[in-house]
Amino acid sequence: MSFFRWDLFFKVGAIMLLTAETSLLMYLYSKSRRRRGKAGVLSNTPVFHKVLFFPDKQIPCQKYLLSPKGCTRTKCFYSHDETSSFLQLIRHVLKSQRSIDLCIFSITCNELAHAVLLKYRQGAKVRVITDTEYMNLNGSKIPDFMTEGISVRHDRSSYLMHHKFLILDGNVVVTGSFNWTQSAVIGNNENVLVTNHADVVQPYLDEFDKLWAKFDVEKRG
Amino acid sequence: MSFFRWDLFFKVGAIMLLTAETSLLMYLYSKSRRRRGKAGVLSNTPVFHKVLFFPDKQIPCQKYLLSPKGCTRTKCFYSHDETSSFLQLIRHVLKSQRSIDLCIFSITCNELAHAVLLKYRQGAKVRVITDTEYMNLNGSKIPDFMTEGISVRHDRSSYLMHHKFLILDGNVVVTGSFNWTQSAVIGNNENVLVTNHADVVQPYLDEFDKLWAKFDVEKRG
């Protein structure tokens, strides 16, 4: 018979192992909660990434998209296809509730401008940053935004304010090569990435605020 | 004294709890491995998202970046700053080992073109898709690529091949508003998103292959 208390050794060992595993599980649980919280900027939003490619095959139907009654034509030649890139893009804009921060080089697309105006009239806070030269070109929708009362700031430098991104409700970023023009929808090869991942959203939020302050004419006097 | 065997009850209870916690930990571990596996397209790559904004404050030093000896000037006026957006961007290109799929509207930037040529000479498979009109403009680096033997296909349509993305080693996507031009580096406001998330990389891989086949002149006859 041994002097070593094997029964005590196993009991203490089991208690230590139980304590260690319980602590590890509690740590993993709290870490997963933190990660979920960080996922979107909003804590209860599951993370998503969506990539859209252009051109679409067909011009989107403006009535279907934006008229309160929808499209009432018996035969419509324009797209009602919810899987098309344009309809998916505009659905993201229309889904926003509180704010739209738009940082865009060129905007001449009727439907997208209309969607922003619609959200603005419904009470969303809209801020637009754009390029001085391009905002004054024929077909630009920036004058319509300004007439309506939307805050617009613009880059007066000789370089381009070449961004094409927007932030919806402070927690979804839309970025890519896509200017808001008609030819970008049905002609050009373009890509748009939509994501709510915090590691992407936060830098864009910071950059928007930085540029918003930078292009503030009143402050610059 | 009770008939109930409390000591046995606690022993069995402790063993059951230990078994349950161990199983849970093993399950969580295997799940985390699966998640990591899905992350990049390469199974052992941790997921990352990096956002870069331009303009940089200073012109990058080409010698520091691309010369085998680095920059040997005693006083260099160009940027050696590894935290600058341009240096971070070019580091991603230089890190690639096997392949560069470049889908770009305009490329006139010496350093980026040089980095691609360097990787090509080191054995990386390089494919370039671009726009017919822009590839023939003054300063375009596409003729250099073609002279060197890099496969280039281009969009002959009247619309723009307006993409500005590249895929490195089939598992990292770089996309945004940033054309590969000098003014995009030190003048324009631009954004670049670098990510290896499979939900982003896979669609770009598919789109590149689709466009590569579409712009194949030989097949179209």
Side-chain angles (χ1 to χ4, degrees), chain B residues 62 66 86 90 93-94 100 102 107-121 126 128 139-145 148 150 180-182:
Chain B
Q62 190 161 348
L66 300 164
F86 189 79
I90 212 160
V93 177
L94 292 171
I100 299 177
L102 177 59
I107 171 167
T108 59
C109 175
N110 273 327
E111 293 82 358
L112 282 163
H114 200 118
V116 172
L117 285 169
L118 203 69
K119 299 317 291 187
Y120 178 71
R121 286 174 198 148
V126 178
V128 178
S140 168
K141 300 295 171 191
I142 297 290
D144 301 349
F145 284 176
E148 191 89 10
I150 290 176
W180 283 16
T181 62
Q182 208 64 45

PDB file of all heavy atoms in Angstrom, chain B residues 62 66 86 90 93-94 100 102 107-121 126 128 139-145 148 150 180-182:
ATOM      1  N   GLN B  62      10.476  55.761 -54.616  1.00  0.00           N
ATOM      2  CA  GLN B  62      10.502  54.586 -55.486  1.00  0.00           C
ATOM      3  C   GLN B  62      11.703  53.678 -55.165  1.00  0.00           C
ATOM      4  O   GLN B  62      11.574  52.459 -55.165  1.00  0.00           O
ATOM      5  CB  GLN B  62      10.539  55.023 -56.949  1.00  0.00           C
ATOM      6  CG  GLN B  62      10.326  53.872 -57.907  1.00  0.00           C
ATOM      7  CD  GLN B  62       9.900  54.315 -59.296  1.00  0.00           C
ATOM      8  OE1 GLN B  62       9.552  55.475 -59.506  1.00  0.00           O
ATOM      9  NE2 GLN B  62       9.903  53.405 -60.249  1.00  0.00           N
ATOM     10  N   LEU B  66      11.311  49.814 -54.225  1.00  0.00           N
ATOM     11  CA  LEU B  66      11.475  48.813 -55.277  1.00  0.00           C
ATOM     12  C   LEU B  66      12.907  48.490 -55.667  1.00  0.00           C
ATOM     13  O   LEU B  66      13.146  47.495 -56.344  1.00  0.00           O
ATOM     14  CB  LEU B  66      10.698  49.264 -56.528  1.00  0.00           C
ATOM     15  CG  LEU B  66       9.184  49.445 -56.312  1.00  0.00           C
ATOM     16  CD1 LEU B  66       8.572  50.234 -57.439  1.00  0.00           C
ATOM     17  CD2 LEU B  66       8.494  48.097 -56.166  1.00  0.00           C
ATOM     18  N   PHE B  86      -0.151  54.574 -49.419  1.00  0.00           N
ATOM     19  CA  PHE B  86       0.483  54.031 -50.621  1.00  0.00           C
ATOM     20  C   PHE B  86       1.437  52.893 -50.278  1.00  0.00           C
ATOM     21  O   PHE B  86       1.450  51.857 -50.947  1.00  0.00           O
ATOM     22  CB  PHE B  86       1.223  55.126 -51.388  1.00  0.00           C
ATOM     23  CG  PHE B  86       1.689  54.647 -52.727  1.00  0.00           C
ATOM     24  CD1 PHE B  86       0.799  54.571 -53.785  1.00  0.00           C
ATOM     25  CD2 PHE B  86       2.993  54.237 -52.932  1.00  0.00           C
ATOM     26  CE1 PHE B  86       1.205  54.112 -55.033  1.00  0.00           C
ATOM     27  CE2 PHE B  86       3.404  53.769 -54.171  1.00  0.00           C
ATOM     28  CZ  PHE B  86       2.508  53.713 -55.221  1.00  0.00           C
ATOM     29  N   ILE B  90       1.122  49.090 -51.692  1.00  0.00           N
ATOM     30  CA  ILE B  90       2.148  48.441 -52.512  1.00  0.00           C
ATOM     31  C   ILE B  90       2.746  47.230 -51.777  1.00  0.00           C
ATOM     32  O   ILE B  90       3.127  46.243 -52.411  1.00  0.00           O
ATOM     33  CB  ILE B  90       3.229  49.463 -52.955  1.00  0.00           C
ATOM     34  CG1 ILE B  90       3.763  49.053 -54.333  1.00  0.00           C
ATOM     35  CG2 ILE B  90       4.340  49.629 -51.945  1.00  0.00           C
ATOM     36  CD1 ILE B  90       4.430  50.164 -55.088  1.00  0.00           C
ATOM     37  N   VAL B  93       0.703  44.260 -52.730  1.00  0.00           N
ATOM     38  CA  VAL B  93       1.040  43.767 -54.076  1.00  0.00           C
ATOM     39  C   VAL B  93       2.351  42.977 -54.008  1.00  0.00           C
ATOM     40  O   VAL B  93       2.452  41.877 -54.568  1.00  0.00           O
ATOM     41  CB  VAL B  93       1.166  44.938 -55.076  1.00  0.00           C
ATOM     42  CG1 VAL B  93       1.577  44.426 -56.447  1.00  0.00           C
ATOM     43  CG2 VAL B  93      -0.145  45.710 -55.167  1.00  0.00           C
ATOM     44  N   LEU B  94       3.332  43.522 -53.318  1.00  0.00           N
ATOM     45  CA  LEU B  94       4.658  42.882 -53.262  1.00  0.00           C
ATOM     46  C   LEU B  94       4.645  41.572 -52.470  1.00  0.00           C
ATOM     47  O   LEU B  94       5.489  40.718 -52.667  1.00  0.00           O
ATOM     48  CB  LEU B  94       5.695  43.848 -52.657  1.00  0.00           C
ATOM     49  CG  LEU B  94       6.040  45.067 -53.528  1.00  0.00           C
ATOM     50  CD1 LEU B  94       6.905  46.058 -52.748  1.00  0.00           C
ATOM     51  CD2 LEU B  94       6.745  44.649 -54.819  1.00  0.00           C
ATOM     52  N   ILE B 100      -1.514  37.667 -59.723  1.00  0.00           N
ATOM     53  CA  ILE B 100      -2.122  39.002 -59.624  1.00  0.00           C
ATOM     54  C   ILE B 100      -3.144  39.101 -60.743  1.00  0.00           C
ATOM     55  O   ILE B 100      -2.794  39.009 -61.924  1.00  0.00           O
ATOM     56  CB  ILE B 100      -1.069  40.123 -59.780  1.00  0.00           C
ATOM     57  CG1 ILE B 100      -0.018  40.033 -58.665  1.00  0.00           C
ATOM     58  CG2 ILE B 100      -1.734  41.491 -59.784  1.00  0.00           C
ATOM     59  CD1 ILE B 100       1.111  41.059 -58.792  1.00  0.00           C
ATOM     60  N   LEU B 102      -5.522  41.768 -62.168  1.00  0.00           N
ATOM     61  CA  LEU B 102      -5.702  43.212 -62.065  1.00  0.00           C
ATOM     62  C   LEU B 102      -6.779  43.667 -63.051  1.00  0.00           C
ATOM     63  O   LEU B 102      -6.701  43.383 -64.239  1.00  0.00           O
ATOM     64  CB  LEU B 102      -4.362  43.896 -62.396  1.00  0.00           C
ATOM     65  CG  LEU B 102      -4.304  45.410 -62.433  1.00  0.00           C
ATOM     66  CD1 LEU B 102      -4.717  46.021 -61.112  1.00  0.00           C
ATOM     67  CD2 LEU B 102      -2.884  45.874 -62.785  1.00  0.00           C
ATOM     68  N   ILE B 107      -4.086  53.030 -65.516  1.00  0.00           N
ATOM     69  CA  ILE B 107      -2.848  52.785 -64.770  1.00  0.00           C
ATOM     70  C   ILE B 107      -1.695  53.578 -65.380  1.00  0.00           C
ATOM     71  O   ILE B 107      -1.250  53.317 -66.499  1.00  0.00           O
ATOM     72  CB  ILE B 107      -2.515  51.281 -64.653  1.00  0.00           C
ATOM     73  CG1 ILE B 107      -1.112  51.074 -64.074  1.00  0.00           C
ATOM     74  CG2 ILE B 107      -2.687  50.525 -65.964  1.00  0.00           C
ATOM     75  CD1 ILE B 107      -0.823  49.665 -63.644  1.00  0.00           C
ATOM     76  N   THR B 108      -1.284  54.591 -64.626  1.00  0.00           N
ATOM     77  CA  THR B 108      -0.158  55.425 -65.062  1.00  0.00           C
ATOM     78  C   THR B 108       0.888  55.535 -63.944  1.00  0.00           C
ATOM     79  O   THR B 108       1.929  56.151 -64.143  1.00  0.00           O
ATOM     80  CB  THR B 108      -0.632  56.858 -65.409  1.00  0.00           C
ATOM     81  OG1 THR B 108      -1.251  57.426 -64.247  1.00  0.00           O
ATOM     82  CG2 THR B 108      -1.626  56.864 -66.557  1.00  0.00           C
ATOM     83  N   CYS B 109       0.612  54.928 -62.798  1.00  0.00           N
ATOM     84  CA  CYS B 109       1.506  55.064 -61.635  1.00  0.00           C
ATOM     85  C   CYS B 109       2.736  54.172 -61.798  1.00  0.00           C
ATOM     86  O   CYS B 109       2.622  52.940 -61.850  1.00  0.00           O
ATOM     87  CB  CYS B 109       0.737  54.706 -60.371  1.00  0.00           C
ATOM     88  SG  CYS B 109       1.754  54.687 -58.901  1.00  0.00           S
ATOM     89  N   ASN B 110       3.908  54.802 -61.870  1.00  0.00           N
ATOM     90  CA  ASN B 110       5.177  54.085 -62.038  1.00  0.00           C
ATOM     91  C   ASN B 110       5.401  52.987 -61.018  1.00  0.00           C
ATOM     92  O   ASN B 110       5.726  51.854 -61.365  1.00  0.00           O
ATOM     93  CB  ASN B 110       6.356  55.067 -61.849  1.00  0.00           C
ATOM     94  CG  ASN B 110       6.704  55.753 -63.149  1.00  0.00           C
ATOM     95  OD1 ASN B 110       6.577  55.160 -64.219  1.00  0.00           O
ATOM     96  ND2 ASN B 110       7.115  57.011 -63.048  1.00  0.00           N
ATOM     97  N   GLU B 111       5.250  53.344 -59.734  1.00  0.00           N
ATOM     98  CA  GLU B 111       5.602  52.419 -58.648  1.00  0.00           C
ATOM     99  C   GLU B 111       4.727  51.175 -58.682  1.00  0.00           C
ATOM    100  O   GLU B 111       5.225  50.051 -58.515  1.00  0.00           O
ATOM    101  CB  GLU B 111       5.470  53.109 -57.275  1.00  0.00           C
ATOM    102  CG  GLU B 111       6.468  54.220 -57.029  1.00  0.00           C
ATOM    103  CD  GLU B 111       6.047  55.553 -57.653  1.00  0.00           C
ATOM    104  OE1 GLU B 111       4.992  55.594 -58.319  1.00  0.00           O
ATOM    105  OE2 GLU B 111       6.771  56.538 -57.478  1.00  0.00           O
ATOM    106  N   LEU B 112       3.396  51.362 -58.883  1.00  0.00           N
ATOM    107  CA  LEU B 112       2.501  50.204 -58.882  1.00  0.00           C
ATOM    108  C   LEU B 112       2.759  49.320 -60.106  1.00  0.00           C
ATOM    109  O   LEU B 112       2.769  48.090 -59.995  1.00  0.00           O
ATOM    110  CB  LEU B 112       1.044  50.656 -58.803  1.00  0.00           C
ATOM    111  CG  LEU B 112       0.605  51.061 -57.386  1.00  0.00           C
ATOM    112  CD1 LEU B 112      -0.677  51.883 -57.413  1.00  0.00           C
ATOM    113  CD2 LEU B 112       0.400  49.831 -56.502  1.00  0.00           C
ATOM    114  N   ALA B 113       2.974  49.953 -61.264  1.00  0.00           N
ATOM    115  CA  ALA B 113       3.282  49.171 -62.469  1.00  0.00           C
ATOM    116  C   ALA B 113       4.580  48.392 -62.267  1.00  0.00           C
ATOM    117  O   ALA B 113       4.669  47.211 -62.615  1.00  0.00           O
ATOM    118  CB  ALA B 113       3.405  50.105 -63.669  1.00  0.00           C
ATOM    119  N   HIS B 114       5.561  49.062 -61.676  1.00  0.00           N
ATOM    120  CA  HIS B 114       6.862  48.449 -61.406  1.00  0.00           C
ATOM    121  C   HIS B 114       6.707  47.242 -60.465  1.00  0.00           C
ATOM    122  O   HIS B 114       7.329  46.189 -60.668  1.00  0.00           O
ATOM    123  CB  HIS B 114       7.777  49.506 -60.775  1.00  0.00           C
ATOM    124  CG  HIS B 114       9.221  49.179 -60.871  1.00  0.00           C
ATOM    125  ND1 HIS B 114      10.125  49.960 -61.543  1.00  0.00           N
ATOM    126  CD2 HIS B 114       9.937  48.148 -60.384  1.00  0.00           C
ATOM    127  CE1 HIS B 114      11.324  49.428 -61.454  1.00  0.00           C
ATOM    128  NE2 HIS B 114      11.231  48.315 -60.758  1.00  0.00           N
ATOM    129  N   ALA B 115       5.860  47.392 -59.463  1.00  0.00           N
ATOM    130  CA  ALA B 115       5.634  46.299 -58.500  1.00  0.00           C
ATOM    131  C   ALA B 115       5.035  45.084 -59.197  1.00  0.00           C
ATOM    132  O   ALA B 115       5.429  43.941 -58.930  1.00  0.00           O
ATOM    133  CB  ALA B 115       4.722  46.776 -57.368  1.00  0.00           C
ATOM    134  N   VAL B 116       4.087  45.330 -60.103  1.00  0.00           N
ATOM    135  CA  VAL B 116       3.460  44.218 -60.845  1.00  0.00           C
ATOM    136  C   VAL B 116       4.500  43.538 -61.733  1.00  0.00           C
ATOM    137  O   VAL B 116       4.587  42.293 -61.768  1.00  0.00           O
ATOM    138  CB  VAL B 116       2.260  44.724 -61.683  1.00  0.00           C
ATOM    139  CG1 VAL B 116       1.740  43.628 -62.610  1.00  0.00           C
ATOM    140  CG2 VAL B 116       1.137  45.215 -60.774  1.00  0.00           C
ATOM    141  N   LEU B 117       5.305  44.331 -62.437  1.00  0.00           N
ATOM    142  CA  LEU B 117       6.347  43.770 -63.310  1.00  0.00           C
ATOM    143  C   LEU B 117       7.353  42.941 -62.504  1.00  0.00           C
ATOM    144  O   LEU B 117       7.775  41.864 -62.933  1.00  0.00           O
ATOM    145  CB  LEU B 117       7.074  44.898 -64.061  1.00  0.00           C
ATOM    146  CG  LEU B 117       6.286  45.513 -65.217  1.00  0.00           C
ATOM    147  CD1 LEU B 117       6.957  46.789 -65.723  1.00  0.00           C
ATOM    148  CD2 LEU B 117       6.129  44.517 -66.368  1.00  0.00           C
ATOM    149  N   LEU B 118       7.697  43.444 -61.328  1.00  0.00           N
ATOM    150  CA  LEU B 118       8.623  42.739 -60.439  1.00  0.00           C
ATOM    151  C   LEU B 118       8.079  41.364 -60.070  1.00  0.00           C
ATOM    152  O   LEU B 118       8.785  40.348 -60.153  1.00  0.00           O
ATOM    153  CB  LEU B 118       8.805  43.581 -59.163  1.00  0.00           C
ATOM    154  CG  LEU B 118      10.043  43.385 -58.326  1.00  0.00           C
ATOM    155  CD1 LEU B 118      11.271  43.889 -59.055  1.00  0.00           C
ATOM    156  CD2 LEU B 118       9.892  44.146 -56.989  1.00  0.00           C
ATOM    157  N   LYS B 119       6.806  41.311 -59.670  1.00  0.00           N
ATOM    158  CA  LYS B 119       6.196  40.037 -59.294  1.00  0.00           C
ATOM    159  C   LYS B 119       6.099  39.099 -60.499  1.00  0.00           C
ATOM    160  O   LYS B 119       6.302  37.898 -60.371  1.00  0.00           O
ATOM    161  CB  LYS B 119       4.792  40.248 -58.688  1.00  0.00           C
ATOM    162  CG  LYS B 119       4.712  41.065 -57.440  1.00  0.00           C
ATOM    163  CD  LYS B 119       5.762  40.770 -56.408  1.00  0.00           C
ATOM    164  CE  LYS B 119       5.637  39.427 -55.735  1.00  0.00           C
ATOM    165  NZ  LYS B 119       6.573  39.239 -54.614  1.00  0.00           N
ATOM    166  N   TYR B 120       5.813  39.700 -61.665  1.00  0.00           N
ATOM    167  CA  TYR B 120       5.728  38.893 -62.897  1.00  0.00           C
ATOM    168  C   TYR B 120       7.077  38.250 -63.209  1.00  0.00           C
ATOM    169  O   TYR B 120       7.161  37.061 -63.522  1.00  0.00           O
ATOM    170  CB  TYR B 120       5.263  39.796 -64.048  1.00  0.00           C
ATOM    171  CG  TYR B 120       5.175  39.080 -65.382  1.00  0.00           C
ATOM    172  CD1 TYR B 120       4.180  38.137 -65.618  1.00  0.00           C
ATOM    173  CD2 TYR B 120       6.084  39.361 -66.411  1.00  0.00           C
ATOM    174  CE1 TYR B 120       4.086  37.486 -66.845  1.00  0.00           C
ATOM    175  CE2 TYR B 120       5.998  38.713 -67.634  1.00  0.00           C
ATOM    176  CZ  TYR B 120       5.006  37.777 -67.844  1.00  0.00           C
ATOM    177  OH  TYR B 120       4.909  37.123 -69.060  1.00  0.00           O
ATOM    178  N   ARG B 121       8.127  39.050 -63.085  1.00  0.00           N
ATOM    179  CA  ARG B 121       9.483  38.532 -63.360  1.00  0.00           C
ATOM    180  C   ARG B 121       9.885  37.467 -62.344  1.00  0.00           C
ATOM    181  O   ARG B 121      10.684  36.586 -62.643  1.00  0.00           O
ATOM    182  CB  ARG B 121      10.500  39.682 -63.331  1.00  0.00           C
ATOM    183  CG  ARG B 121      10.397  40.557 -64.566  1.00  0.00           C
ATOM    184  CD  ARG B 121      11.302  41.778 -64.461  1.00  0.00           C
ATOM    185  NE  ARG B 121      10.908  42.811 -65.399  1.00  0.00           N
ATOM    186  CZ  ARG B 121      11.034  44.127 -65.181  1.00  0.00           C
ATOM    187  NH1 ARG B 121      11.571  44.566 -64.063  1.00  0.00           N
ATOM    188  NH2 ARG B 121      10.645  44.984 -66.099  1.00  0.00           N
ATOM    189  N   VAL B 126       0.298  36.813 -63.988  1.00  0.00           N
ATOM    190  CA  VAL B 126      -0.371  38.120 -63.989  1.00  0.00           C
ATOM    191  C   VAL B 126      -1.352  38.206 -65.157  1.00  0.00           C
ATOM    192  O   VAL B 126      -1.004  37.900 -66.299  1.00  0.00           O
ATOM    193  CB  VAL B 126       0.665  39.275 -64.086  1.00  0.00           C
ATOM    194  CG1 VAL B 126      -0.046  40.626 -64.140  1.00  0.00           C
ATOM    195  CG2 VAL B 126       1.639  39.237 -62.919  1.00  0.00           C
ATOM    196  N   VAL B 128      -4.269  40.988 -66.771  1.00  0.00           N
ATOM    197  CA  VAL B 128      -4.732  42.379 -66.650  1.00  0.00           C
ATOM    198  C   VAL B 128      -5.941  42.600 -67.556  1.00  0.00           C
ATOM    199  O   VAL B 128      -5.924  42.239 -68.737  1.00  0.00           O
ATOM    200  CB  VAL B 128      -3.606  43.370 -67.031  1.00  0.00           C
ATOM    201  CG1 VAL B 128      -4.104  44.814 -66.949  1.00  0.00           C
ATOM    202  CG2 VAL B 128      -2.394  43.187 -66.124  1.00  0.00           C
ATOM    203  N   GLY B 139       1.123  57.981 -71.067  1.00  0.00           N
ATOM    204  CA  GLY B 139       1.484  57.659 -69.680  1.00  0.00           C
ATOM    205  C   GLY B 139       0.964  56.318 -69.207  1.00  0.00           C
ATOM    206  O   GLY B 139       1.350  55.851 -68.125  1.00  0.00           O
ATOM    207  N   SER B 140       0.089  55.676 -69.997  1.00  0.00           N
ATOM    208  CA  SER B 140      -0.443  54.376 -69.594  1.00  0.00           C
ATOM    209  C   SER B 140       0.676  53.339 -69.524  1.00  0.00           C
ATOM    210  O   SER B 140       1.571  53.306 -70.377  1.00  0.00           O
ATOM    211  CB  SER B 140      -1.513  53.918 -70.588  1.00  0.00           C
ATOM    212  OG  SER B 140      -1.819  52.555 -70.363  1.00  0.00           O
ATOM    213  N   LYS B 141       0.624  52.495 -68.523  1.00  0.00           N
ATOM    214  CA  LYS B 141       1.658  51.467 -68.339  1.00  0.00           C
ATOM    215  C   LYS B 141       1.301  50.150 -69.027  1.00  0.00           C
ATOM    216  O   LYS B 141       2.094  49.195 -68.975  1.00  0.00           O
ATOM    217  CB  LYS B 141       1.888  51.206 -66.841  1.00  0.00           C
ATOM    218  CG  LYS B 141       2.336  52.427 -66.070  1.00  0.00           C
ATOM    219  CD  LYS B 141       3.714  52.896 -66.531  1.00  0.00           C
ATOM    220  CE  LYS B 141       4.077  54.230 -65.915  1.00  0.00           C
ATOM    221  NZ  LYS B 141       5.256  54.830 -66.521  1.00  0.00           N
ATOM    222  N   ILE B 142       0.118  50.100 -69.642  1.00  0.00           N
ATOM    223  CA  ILE B 142      -0.326  48.850 -70.279  1.00  0.00           C
ATOM    224  C   ILE B 142       0.633  48.421 -71.402  1.00  0.00           C
ATOM    225  O   ILE B 142       0.988  47.228 -71.481  1.00  0.00           O
ATOM    226  CB  ILE B 142      -1.788  48.991 -70.780  1.00  0.00           C
ATOM    227  CG1 ILE B 142      -2.748  49.242 -69.602  1.00  0.00           C
ATOM    228  CG2 ILE B 142      -2.210  47.762 -71.576  1.00  0.00           C
ATOM    229  CD1 ILE B 142      -2.964  48.069 -68.665  1.00  0.00           C
ATOM    230  N   PRO B 143       1.102  49.352 -72.262  1.00  0.00           N
ATOM    231  CA  PRO B 143       2.067  48.929 -73.288  1.00  0.00           C
ATOM    232  C   PRO B 143       3.323  48.276 -72.685  1.00  0.00           C
ATOM    233  O   PRO B 143       3.832  47.302 -73.240  1.00  0.00           O
ATOM    234  CB  PRO B 143       2.413  50.246 -74.003  1.00  0.00           C
ATOM    235  CG  PRO B 143       1.210  51.098 -73.808  1.00  0.00           C
ATOM    236  CD  PRO B 143       0.705  50.768 -72.448  1.00  0.00           C
ATOM    237  N   ASP B 144       3.804  48.785 -71.536  1.00  0.00           N
ATOM    238  CA  ASP B 144       4.965  48.165 -70.867  1.00  0.00           C
ATOM    239  C   ASP B 144       4.647  46.731 -70.458  1.00  0.00           C
ATOM    240  O   ASP B 144       5.481  45.837 -70.586  1.00  0.00           O
ATOM    241  CB  ASP B 144       5.367  48.948 -69.608  1.00  0.00           C
ATOM    242  CG  ASP B 144       5.732  50.394 -69.926  1.00  0.00           C
ATOM    243  OD1 ASP B 144       5.862  50.713 -71.122  1.00  0.00           O
ATOM    244  OD2 ASP B 144       5.870  51.189 -68.979  1.00  0.00           O
ATOM    245  N   PHE B 145       3.433  46.534 -69.931  1.00  0.00           N
ATOM    246  CA  PHE B 145       3.013  45.188 -69.526  1.00  0.00           C
ATOM    247  C   PHE B 145       3.033  44.251 -70.732  1.00  0.00           C
ATOM    248  O   PHE B 145       3.523  43.122 -70.651  1.00  0.00           O
ATOM    249  CB  PHE B 145       1.595  45.213 -68.945  1.00  0.00           C
ATOM    250  CG  PHE B 145       1.479  45.763 -67.549  1.00  0.00           C
ATOM    251  CD1 PHE B 145       0.233  45.908 -66.939  1.00  0.00           C
ATOM    252  CD2 PHE B 145       2.606  46.111 -66.819  1.00  0.00           C
ATOM    253  CE1 PHE B 145       0.112  46.404 -65.649  1.00  0.00           C
ATOM    254  CE2 PHE B 145       2.506  46.609 -65.522  1.00  0.00           C
ATOM    255  CZ  PHE B 145       1.252  46.763 -64.940  1.00  0.00           C
ATOM    256  N   GLU B 148       6.423  43.267 -71.996  1.00  0.00           N
ATOM    257  CA  GLU B 148       7.054  42.299 -71.079  1.00  0.00           C
ATOM    258  C   GLU B 148       6.470  40.893 -71.229  1.00  0.00           C
ATOM    259  O   GLU B 148       7.057  39.922 -70.755  1.00  0.00           O
ATOM    260  CB  GLU B 148       6.859  42.799 -69.644  1.00  0.00           C
ATOM    261  CG  GLU B 148       7.657  42.086 -68.589  1.00  0.00           C
ATOM    262  CD  GLU B 148       9.036  42.720 -68.362  1.00  0.00           C
ATOM    263  OE1 GLU B 148       9.271  43.834 -68.900  1.00  0.00           O
ATOM    264  OE2 GLU B 148       9.843  42.126 -67.667  1.00  0.00           O
ATOM    265  N   ILE B 150       3.041  40.195 -70.402  1.00  0.00           N
ATOM    266  CA  ILE B 150       1.873  39.997 -69.527  1.00  0.00           C
ATOM    267  C   ILE B 150       0.600  39.951 -70.382  1.00  0.00           C
ATOM    268  O   ILE B 150       0.439  40.736 -71.321  1.00  0.00           O
ATOM    269  CB  ILE B 150       1.778  41.147 -68.491  1.00  0.00           C
ATOM    270  CG1 ILE B 150       2.916  41.022 -67.474  1.00  0.00           C
ATOM    271  CG2 ILE B 150       0.432  41.166 -67.797  1.00  0.00           C
ATOM    272  CD1 ILE B 150       2.990  42.151 -66.459  1.00  0.00           C
ATOM    273  N   TRP B 180      -4.946  53.576 -60.582  1.00  0.00           N
ATOM    274  CA  TRP B 180      -3.505  53.522 -60.329  1.00  0.00           C
ATOM    275  C   TRP B 180      -2.796  54.668 -61.050  1.00  0.00           C
ATOM    276  O   TRP B 180      -2.029  54.451 -61.992  1.00  0.00           O
ATOM    277  CB  TRP B 180      -2.960  52.158 -60.758  1.00  0.00           C
ATOM    278  CG  TRP B 180      -3.269  51.081 -59.771  1.00  0.00           C
ATOM    279  CD1 TRP B 180      -4.195  51.132 -58.772  1.00  0.00           C
ATOM    280  CD2 TRP B 180      -2.635  49.804 -59.661  1.00  0.00           C
ATOM    281  NE1 TRP B 180      -4.187  49.961 -58.056  1.00  0.00           N
ATOM    282  CE2 TRP B 180      -3.241  49.131 -58.586  1.00  0.00           C
ATOM    283  CE3 TRP B 180      -1.627  49.161 -60.374  1.00  0.00           C
ATOM    284  CZ2 TRP B 180      -2.866  47.842 -58.205  1.00  0.00           C
ATOM    285  CZ3 TRP B 180      -1.261  47.885 -59.991  1.00  0.00           C
ATOM    286  CH2 TRP B 180      -1.869  47.233 -58.919  1.00  0.00           C
ATOM    287  N   THR B 181      -3.077  55.880 -60.571  1.00  0.00           N
ATOM    288  CA  THR B 181      -2.472  57.074 -61.164  1.00  0.00           C
ATOM    289  C   THR B 181      -1.741  57.863 -60.082  1.00  0.00           C
ATOM    290  O   THR B 181      -2.019  57.696 -58.895  1.00  0.00           O
ATOM    291  CB  THR B 181      -3.555  57.988 -61.780  1.00  0.00           C
ATOM    292  OG1 THR B 181      -4.431  58.428 -60.724  1.00  0.00           O
ATOM    293  CG2 THR B 181      -4.362  57.264 -62.826  1.00  0.00           C
ATOM    294  N   GLN B 182      -0.828  58.738 -60.513  1.00  0.00           N
ATOM    295  CA  GLN B 182      -0.049  59.514 -59.556  1.00  0.00           C
ATOM    296  C   GLN B 182      -0.948  60.475 -58.778  1.00  0.00           C
ATOM    297  O   GLN B 182      -0.796  60.631 -57.567  1.00  0.00           O
ATOM    298  CB  GLN B 182       1.040  60.290 -60.313  1.00  0.00           C
ATOM    299  CG  GLN B 182       2.278  60.570 -59.498  1.00  0.00           C
ATOM    300  CD  GLN B 182       3.028  59.302 -59.084  1.00  0.00           C
ATOM    301  OE1 GLN B 182       3.228  58.411 -59.880  1.00  0.00           O
ATOM    302  NE2 GLN B 182       3.405  59.210 -57.817  1.00  0.00           N
TER     303      GLN B 182
END
